[in-house]
Amino acid sequence: MKPQWQILVVDDEEIMCESLAAWLREDGYLVDTASSGREAVELAKKTDYAIYFIDLKMPGGMDGIDTLMEIRRFHPDASIIIITAYATVDTAITAIKEGAQEYIVKPCNPEEISLLVNRIIKVKKLQRENLILRKKLQRRYQFHDIISKSPRMLEVLELAREVASLRSTVLIRGESGTGKELVARAIHFSGSRAQKPFIAVSCAALAETLLESELFGYEKGSFTGAAERKKGKFELADGGTIFLDEIGDIGPKLQADLLRVLQERSFYRVGGSEEVQVDVRVIAATHKDLRALVDEGKFREDLYYRLNVIEIHIPPLRERREDIPLLAEHFVERISHELGKPVDEIAQDAMRLLMDHAWPGNVRELENAIERAIVSCRGRTLTAEDFSFLRNNGPAKIQIPDNLTLAEMERLMIEATLRRTAGNVKEAAASLGIDRSTLYEKLKRYGIER
Amino acid sequence: MIVLGLFELRTPEDRALPPAVIPAMAEALESCLPVRVAGLKPVDAPPGALDARRGQWSAPALLETVLATLPDGIPRALGVTGADLFIPMLSFVYGQAQLKGRAGVVSVARLRQEYYGLPGNEALLVERARKEAVHEAGHLLGLVHCPSPGCVMRLSVQVGQIDLKGEAPCPSCAARLREVLA
């Protein structure tokens, strides 16, 4: 049985519409008809037709070319055939220029239409097969939620697989948004601890005292507001893995406490005297150069060596551009499903734009960009227009005052973004293309009040 | 068993259908499809269905005529005409039927060898007419075009393609028909 390809026939003459529709239905196609350009556009918004037959001359202020152009806005790759009763070179050229795939003069030979439809459907079938194969290939390049075909990333994933079954501490380095937590999760869920908890803690998000009680828990009455004993993240992660993000941001006291946990596998709750034993694998991550912090005396060397038993460095997205199409297609599939808004693909011009972008916020920025594009897109294909915000945010439009240091500019940018998001850190971080913990760290560094 | 009406749709300028055509169609329909053919009286095609500029008869208009003349107890029927048929988009059609519907039409105008400037061959005309009747009746019963070369449901846009195919549905279409009718 033939696949149920859908065709839309658009003509203000009902008999023309219906008779062609009936003829195409005999060929097994699902055919809808529209008596005006506007009706056609409305139908095309809801359905991605394989082929559109559109009459050139239609009343009501929207002729075949207008209809074609409007449909092209949200189905850039649609196969559109313009029909007319009179062949003139001018209209043929206009139709093809505006993106019509074919131009036919009615009445035409049945063989001509049959060959035309078969040829288009053959191409559509190949495109569909191509999509299926690309998805299969994507799965081949997938390790848990990490997708890559970059040789450098594949080495990272291979290392992650190898260390998954070990208990050794892992230090993951990489810029914000490169997916450090995803790699940590992949290590946890590939190893023998997969059935036990995975607890993630952002060390940059909390003040030192709060972080201490967050990590180690506290005893009842240990401080004002400690109404009852509370377990810390280390206890909650017992048997599993604790992921300490932005480890480079912790102060000297916590560095000492953490060293003790790594050495002794035990700790004391805040305000407690009872030693708590835990079996926890530690995976730490940072975007900072910990070695440099050690050299500057800001990070304990003994802790550095304890953490850096196995080091994994995740390259930034700009250094593995071959992953952009894979990741973009993966995000389209996942986010369109999550949002309940069907989007099938990314048009070539949009993909070129994504390939050319610098992605300072790495994979997270790409993910946010895809989500924003899906929210604003009107069809089932993401076009360059849907990513226009990437162009608008380009460096050419930024006004840089004179005598400004890089740090001052960063501070101004963060303040401006927070004003725009009314102090919403999550939204601001997404807009800046960095994660929340990095933004918290920067707020702390620059003394910015929310 | 499904009852299928079969009758001649007469047009004024027609050459009369050769007498063998309709009985041969009935025989082919009953042997190739699960139908019982009910022969009906000829009906005159409405003059309004003629497009004088094109010199052809509108297939959609003749389908309306078939629908309007269906007698009680005959749920669906095929009208057969010697006139050349068209739909507005196409230069001609050999026939047209409502998919899983009630009315179909078959034209023998382009099944005649004389149409192509060749000597008449009634046996060939009858053979082609049998195939086209089964093809359009197949659509009436819910079958769509089939890619199998020998299947009667294969789309023909040239008379040579009609000659190449058989007059029965292929096993796959026969199975599909049983499924549709069940």
Side-chain angles (χ1 to χ4, degrees):
Chain A
M1 195 185 165
K2 288 189 178 190
Q4 293 286 279
W5 296 98
Q6 288 181 272
I7 296 177
L8 181 65
V9 180
V10 190
D11 198 307
D12 57 305
E13 285 179 63
E14 192 189 343
I15 182 125
M16 160 78 202
C17 259
E18 291 303 331
S19 59
L20 180 59
W23 193 78
L24 292 166
R25 281 181 195 123
E26 287 180 356
D27 227 1
Y29 300 110
L30 292 172
V31 189
D32 289 334
T33 59
S35 59
S36 69
R38 282 183 215 294
E39 191 186 347
V41 170
E42 286 310 309
L43 285 170
K45 279 180 188 170
K46 293 176 208 150
T47 306
D48 191 9
Y49 294 97
I51 305 174
Y52 296 80
F53 282 95
I54 304 175
D55 192 43
L56 183 66
K57 303 274 181 207
M58 286 189 291
M62 199 170 182
D63 66 9
I65 300 289
D66 297 333
T67 309
L68 175 158
M69 287 166 72
E70 190 62 21
I71 290 172
R72 274 259 172 270
R73 285 184 56 206
F74 38 94
H75 295 304
D77 301 324
S79 296
I80 299 177
I81 299 164
I82 288 288
I83 306 164
T84 185
Y86 311 99
T88 68
V89 175
D90 282 353
T91 46
I93 290 172
T94 311
I96 299 295
K97 259 188 176 173
E98 294 303 339
Q101 188 158 344
E102 292 287 344
Y103 178 90
I104 55 176
V105 181
K106 64 182 173 185
C108 70
N109 191 291
E111 189 172 16
E112 192 185 335
I113 296 243
S114 177
L115 288 173
L116 182 58
V117 170
N118 285 340
R119 198 179 71 218
I120 293 171
I121 294 298
K122 208 172 188 176
V123 172
K124 297 268 172 198
K125 277 182 189 165
L126 287 172
Q127 286 171 338
R128 189 175 272 190
E129 278 172 24
N130 182 273
L131 192 70
I132 292 166
L133 287 172
R134 272 191 294 160
K135 280 183 181 167
K136 275 189 185 166
L137 205 59
Q138 184 176 304
R139 280 196 288 276
R140 213 179 117 196
Y141 290 129
Q142 194 159 0
F143 175 54
H144 286 266
D145 285 337
I146 307 158
I147 294 165
S148 180
K149 62 175 180 179
S150 136
R152 285 176 66 192
M153 260 319 266
L154 292 177
E155 274 177 31
V156 166
L157 300 183
E158 191 49 43
L159 181 57
R161 272 193 198 97
E162 282 171 17
V163 304
S165 56
L166 308 177
R167 192 188 171 177
S168 313
T169 307
V170 178
L171 178 64
I172 303 172
R173 291 201 301 114
E175 290 180 11
S176 296
T178 46
K180 296 188 285 293
E181 185 172 335
L182 283 182
V183 171
R185 282 181 186 277
I187 292 171
H188 172 78
F189 288 104
S190 309
S192 54
R193 295 170 179 262
Q195 303 304 317
K196 299 288 184 179
F198 174 90
I199 305 285
V201 184
S202 173
C203 300
L206 299 168
E208 182 148 297
T209 48
L210 276 176
L211 184 59
E212 187 185 1
S213 57
E214 187 77 7
L215 288 176
F216 305 118
Y218 51 80
E219 294 291 343
K220 183 177 176 181
S222 57
F223 54 84
T224 313
E228 56 189 38
R229 175 195 275 185
K230 191 189 170 197
K231 283 185 178 179
K233 300 290 189 192
F234 269 99
E235 273 184 273
L236 293 173
D238 193 20
T241 303
I242 189 162
F243 172 61
L244 301 173
D245 198 8
E246 300 306 347
I247 194 76
D249 290 31
I250 61 171
K253 164 81 170 63
L254 263 178
Q255 288 181 29
D257 290 344
L258 201 55
L259 182 65
R260 181 186 154 77
V261 181
L262 289 174
Q263 283 174 337
E264 312 291 333
R265 303 276 162 195
S266 65
F267 59 88
Y268 293 93
R269 294 188 194 99
V270 175
S273 55
E274 182 193 337
E275 195 175 27
V276 181
Q277 297 282 335
V278 284
D279 168 25
V280 174
R281 180 182 200 172
V282 175
I283 301 179
T286 182
H287 70 280
K288 290 182 175 172
D289 182 351
L290 277 195
R291 182 66 253 178
L293 292 180
V294 169
D295 293 344
E296 290 167 24
K298 291 177 181 169
F299 202 84
R300 290 179 69 120
E301 189 167 20
D302 43 7
L303 178 59
Y304 171 71
Y305 286 117
R306 276 280 171 193
L307 290 172
N308 199 17
V309 177
I310 298 159
E311 184 179 312
I312 293 177
H313 174 65
I314 307 177
L317 190 54
R318 64 181 171 281
E319 290 176 17
R320 49 182 178 109
R321 288 190 180 274
E322 65 267 46
D323 283 346
I324 293 172
L326 265 180
L327 288 163
E329 282 162 12
H330 167 72
F331 290 140
V332 165
E333 190 181 341
R334 203 200 71 208
I335 297 170
S336 68
H337 178 72
E338 283 169 6
L339 296 178
K341 189 171 175 186
V343 172
D344 300 324
E345 56 185 350
I346 302 171
Q348 280 184 5
D349 57 346
M351 193 60 91
R352 272 196 296 276
L353 195 66
L354 298 184
M355 289 296 282
D356 291 343
H357 190 67
W359 301 114
N362 290 295
V363 182
R364 186 181 297 111
E365 186 190 359
L366 174 63
E367 185 180 5
N368 291 338
I370 298 286
E371 180 167 354
R372 192 166 160 184
I374 289 176
V375 167
S376 62
C377 104
R378 296 178 65 189
R380 294 178 72 122
T381 301
L382 296 181
T383 64
E385 200 183 318
D386 297 320
F387 290 100
S388 54
F389 55 88
L390 289 179
R391 287 198 194 107
N392 295 341
N393 290 344
K397 295 200 172 178
I398 294 174
Q399 297 277 318
I400 304 169
D402 293 338
N403 306 321
L404 202 64
T405 66
L406 201 56
E408 284 166 342
M409 196 168 84
E410 186 174 60
R411 181 199 166 102
L412 288 174
M413 200 165 162
I414 291 170
E415 285 175 340
T417 310
L418 278 170
R419 271 197 301 277
R420 189 161 47 78
T421 63
N424 185 323
V425 174
K426 187 182 174 189
E427 210 178 306
S431 170
L432 290 164
I434 57 177
D435 66 9
R436 264 191 296 178
S437 55
T438 307
L439 183 56
Y440 277 119
E441 187 264 326
K442 288 179 190 298
L443 295 178
K444 211 169 15 173
R445 188 194 309 158
Y446 295 125
I448 300 170
E449 302 260 326
R450 282 193 280 147
Chain B
M1 193 66 81
I2 294 158
V3 179
L4 177 72
L6 185 67
F7 63 95
E8 182 180 355
L9 265 170
R10 285 189 302 219
T11 51
E13 85 280 16
D14 262 357
R15 281 165 43 178
L17 286 177
V21 166
I22 288 201
M25 281 179 160
E27 201 271 326
L29 286 164
E30 289 191 338
S31 64
C32 298
L33 297 172
V35 295
R36 183 172 63 77
V37 173
L40 305 174
K41 285 182 187 168
V43 172
D44 289 330
L50 173 68
D51 184 319
R53 196 173 48 83
R54 294 178 65 145
Q56 290 175 300
W57 290 72
S58 161
L62 293 186
L63 283 180
E64 291 296 324
T65 308
V66 174
L67 279 176
T69 52
L70 277 176
D72 288 345
I74 307 289
R76 51 185 72 77
L78 268 184
V80 186
T81 178
D84 192 21
L85 302 180
F86 76 97
I87 64 171
M89 182 65 208
L90 301 179
S91 52
F92 75 93
V93 287
Y94 291 122
Q96 194 170 32
Q98 296 172 325
L99 191 64
K100 218 176 175 192
R102 301 175 63 214
V105 284
V106 177
S107 159
V108 300
R110 293 183 190 234
L111 307 184
R112 297 175 194 270
Q113 287 291 77
E114 298 92 312
Y115 184 87
Y116 305 97
L118 298 169
N121 183 338
E122 191 174 316
L124 188 55
L125 167 66
V126 167
E127 188 188 317
R128 290 169 177 170
R130 288 168 66 98
K131 293 174 186 175
E132 283 309 282
V134 176
H135 181 95
E136 296 307 334
H139 285 319
L140 278 182
L141 300 180
L143 291 180
V144 297
H145 290 151
C146 170
S148 299
C151 179
V152 72
M153 293 314 294
R154 186 176 174 94
L155 170 68
S156 307
V157 289
Q158 291 172 0
V159 76
Q161 292 168 334
I162 300 174
D163 294 339
L164 284 174
K165 66 186 181 185
E167 67 175 31
C170 67
S172 161
C173 286
R176 171 87 187 125
L177 195 57
R178 281 193 294 276
E179 209 176 279
V180 170
L181 297 178

